[in-house]
Amino acid sequence: MSFKSLDELRFEIVSLPSGNEEAAHAAAQRQDTLTKPQGSLGRLEELAIWLARWQGRPLPKLDRIKIVVFAGSHGVTAQGVSAFPAEVTAQMVGNFAAGGAAINQLARTVGAQLEVIPLQVETPTGDFTRTVAMSDAEFLHAVTQGYSAVTNDLDLISLGEMGIGNTTTAAALATALFGGSATQWVGRGTGVDDAGLMRKAVAIENGLARHGDALSDPLRIAAALGGRELAAMLGAALAARKLGIPLLLDGFVTTAAVAPLFKVNPDSLAHAMPGHVSAEAGHRRLLDTLGLNPLLDLGMRLGEGSGAAVAINVLRSAVACHNGMASFAEAGISEK
């Protein structure tokens, strides 16, 4: 799939396949026969049924899991919005390749394949306080790169990112898409002080003022204020839905990246589950706005797909119980 225009992308977002309700129903019926009081495993039961619905099989599996981390550079870092210099993005891509980052350890722990995709990290996007972050063509190219990263042989895909300045970009998207003031969406990101927090808010307000003509269109917002790695995550989320692959989201940046899909089509994230709620200030508010309920709350704010990777363990627990438990009849146990 190669997207040639925003309208073509918009058509794909509103033309989405539904989940497999027969598989979900069969999974729910199975849950009611297992050797436990009905509902006693709480969200683990819901997760097994969610996986069944989007994998299209009553007994879901997690044999092939991929974590994809997209990396991009942001021109808005020129406004002093990060505690780290912009070159750290490329340096961290090298750290991923060397196996030295948190996500390398977590991916190995949960048995997931890790793929890191740098998106022109040597060339920052435009500083959205002065120009568009990306032209329509640049945005669509990044969306296509993300879409192409998803293959149809996966049982689950998890998304993450790396990009100095991208919590400012994420907060800008959230403000433009859902309203409120920039101060309600910005957080400390890499650890900025109060002055840095104010610079982030001012940069966002300046960006919104400059790109006011784009604010009625979620996809134009994503191009004008976003980043390449965020656009790629949008494309990957769309591909996962088209291919019937459950999607695990990471933190604030990942959630903001897919939020334009929701604004175009509120059903577009039904296949997505937030692995965790991060400590970044706007994340819980954004999840609530999207109607998404996170699996974990561990105070994490690293990015890289790290929180979602930890949540894969929860999904494995759900599948193990769903597939491996005996029914009352099989165990010879009297039902209520």
Side-chain angles (χ1 to χ4, degrees):
M1 175 70 72
S2 179
F3 300 102
K4 302 301 184 185
S5 70
L6 294 183
D7 284 340
E8 181 183 339
L9 175 58
R10 199 182 329 273
F11 176 80
E12 293 298 329
I13 296 169
V14 298
S15 307
L16 298 176
S18 300
N20 188 316
E21 293 306 317
E22 289 185 7
H25 180 68
Q29 285 188 314
R30 174 172 173 77
Q31 280 290 331
D32 288 345
T33 70
L34 300 180
T35 49
K36 58 178 176 57
Q38 291 182 6
S40 60
L41 284 177
R43 289 195 71 188
L44 293 186
E45 299 184 19
E46 298 171 16
L47 291 171
I49 296 167
W50 171 73
L51 288 169
R53 172 178 288 109
W54 293 105
Q55 290 184 1
R57 45 166 95 83
L59 296 176
K61 59 183 182 179
L62 292 173
D63 297 335
R64 293 182 58 86
I65 301 174
K66 180 187 273 192
I67 299 170
V68 184
V69 177
F70 297 99
S73 296
H74 295 260
V76 74
T77 56
Q79 303 301 315
V81 297
S82 176
F84 285 81
E87 57 264 27
V88 168
T89 299
Q91 292 167 356
M92 279 300 298
V93 169
N95 191 33
F96 295 143
I103 191 58
N104 296 99
Q105 321 319 314
L106 294 170
R108 184 172 60 252
T109 298
V110 299
Q113 175 192 358
L114 174 63
E115 182 177 11
V116 179
I117 302 178
L119 302 167
Q120 296 177 251
V121 292
E122 70 287 348
T123 306
T125 54
D127 177 353
F128 65 64
T129 68
R130 300 178 181 275
T131 184
V132 292
M134 295 167 286
S135 67
D136 287 357
E138 290 170 327
F139 169 70
L140 291 166
H141 179 64
V143 170
T144 298
Q145 287 179 285
Y147 196 101
S148 300
V150 184
T151 54
N152 63 5
D153 58 346
L154 299 176
D155 301 319
L156 177 75
I157 188 163
S158 181
L159 300 181
E161 42 62 41
M162 175 63 211
I164 296 299
N166 67 11
T167 58
T168 301
T169 298
L173 289 181
T175 307
L177 291 169
F178 301 110
S181 68
T183 56
Q184 294 174 302
W185 290 105
V186 294
R188 296 194 183 274
T190 52
V192 296
D193 57 15
D194 289 346
L197 203 62
M198 184 54 64
R199 287 193 295 271
K200 293 175 77 165
V202 169
I204 291 168
E205 296 293 356
N206 289 341
L208 294 182
R210 175 168 290 276
H211 304 293
D213 60 336
L215 299 185
S216 62
D217 183 341
L219 298 181
R220 291 187 66 205
I221 287 171
L225 300 174
R228 294 186 188 95
E229 78 275 36
L230 281 81
M233 288 188 286
L234 183 153
L238 179 60
R241 178 60 176 266
K242 293 285 188 177
L243 294 173
I245 301 169
L247 169 66
L248 201 56
L249 301 173
D250 190 42
F252 180 51
V253 179
T254 304
T255 308
V258 302
L261 295 173
F262 175 87
K263 287 292 286 187
V264 173
N265 178 358
D267 178 60
S268 62
L269 298 179
H271 69 307
M273 185 71 63
H276 75 130
V277 58
S278 77
E280 186 66 10
H283 192 205
R284 189 179 296 276
R285 181 180 183 185
L286 184 55
L287 290 174
D288 289 344
T289 301
L290 299 176
L292 297 174
N293 188 12
L295 298 182
L296 301 172
D297 182 357
L298 299 176
M300 299 175 69
R301 55 180 179 85
L302 175 61
E304 303 179 5
S306 55
V310 175
I312 291 171
N313 289 302
V314 178
L315 296 182
R316 287 200 181 281
S317 296
V319 169
C321 290
H322 181 78
N323 293 356
M325 288 180 68
S327 68
F328 282 99
E330 289 167 341
I333 297 174
S334 300
E335 299 188 56
K336 66 178 181 180

